[in-house]
Amino acid sequence: MNRNTVNRFYLALRQIIAEEMEKAAPLHGEVEVDESYFGGKRKGKRGRGAAGKVPVFGLLKRGGRVYALPIPGAKAKTLMPILESRVVPDSIVYTDSFANCDVIDVSTFHHRRIDHAKAFAKGKGNERHINGIENFWNQAKRHLRRQVVSRANTSTTSSGECEWRTGGENHKELHRGLLGWARREGLLK
């Protein structure tokens, strides 16, 4: 089988996964929120403001699934519409001390801010952390290291695939669901 055929098939699977992840119900309860930057290794500045990086905004329901989306920039005017459409009002939203998350304080969410300069999580049973979404970024970057995610057409499909992989279900259920979607879309017989 030709490599291009295999690549087209995997891209089609990723597009199906991304479409299904978009249809998922909004998150509720305790939700961790963070942004991360994806792209090739570059010397110089890292993180916010690094040239050539794609910002990705992520939401993680504790003990549940993830929603991640490439965004044009990590400004409050970009983040709030995503939060309002993907998180149920009255949910507890945990963020880092990033200034653009200040708008959450006056929204319909209960905002809990974590200052990484002081501590990530102190004491046993402390719920004031965003370690879940940080772990998701680590896993996603490790998985996507082999892919080019800086192109706009692959960013959404790649983040959708990572959401799906960390969906909280076992691998057999994920596989069964993917086969069903692929059959429905005519990708498999």
Side-chain angles (χ1 to χ4, degrees), residues 122-173:
K122 271 189 174 174
K124 192 172 186 173
N126 185 352
E127 287 80 32
R128 295 192 123 215
H129 64 80
I130 57 171
N131 295 346
I133 192 73
E134 297 286 356
N135 182 51
F136 171 74
W137 295 136
N138 183 14
Q139 297 294 328
K141 286 179 180 183
R142 184 178 304 148
H143 174 72
L144 297 175
R145 207 168 274 146
R146 291 164 276 151
Q147 297 180 24
V148 176
V149 296
S150 59
R151 293 184 306 196
N153 64 336
T154 59
S155 295
T156 304
T157 57
S158 297
S159 65
E161 179 186 359
C162 290
E163 289 174 48
W164 172 75
R165 287 176 178 272
T166 58
E169 298 178 35
N170 66 43
H171 292 292
K172 286 184 181 180
E173 289 297 317

Side-chain angles (χ1 to χ4, degrees), residues 48-134:
R48 291 183 189 112
K53 303 276 184 162
V54 176
V56 180
F57 185 57
L59 310 161
L60 175 130
K61 163 132 178 59
R62 289 193 176 164
R65 59 187 175 79
V66 177
Y67 177 76
L69 178 72
I71 54 176
K75 302 284 184 203
K77 66 182 180 185
T78 306
L79 305 181
M80 274 312 289
I82 298 168
L83 271 171
E84 290 168 343
S85 68
R86 303 308 282 176
V87 179
V88 174
D90 259 359
S91 294
I92 301 170
V93 176
Y94 296 92
T95 68
D96 56 14
S97 54
F98 186 35
N100 286 339
C101 293
D102 288 343
V103 294
I104 299 172
D105 290 333
V106 293
S107 67
T108 59
F109 308 110
H110 302 283
H111 186 205
R112 305 288 184 268
R113 187 180 304 277
I114 287 80
D115 187 356
H116 292 309
K118 292 181 181 175
F120 276 85
K122 271 189 174 174
K124 192 172 186 173
N126 185 352
E127 287 80 32
R128 295 192 123 215
H129 64 80
I130 57 171
N131 295 346
I133 192 73
E134 297 286 356

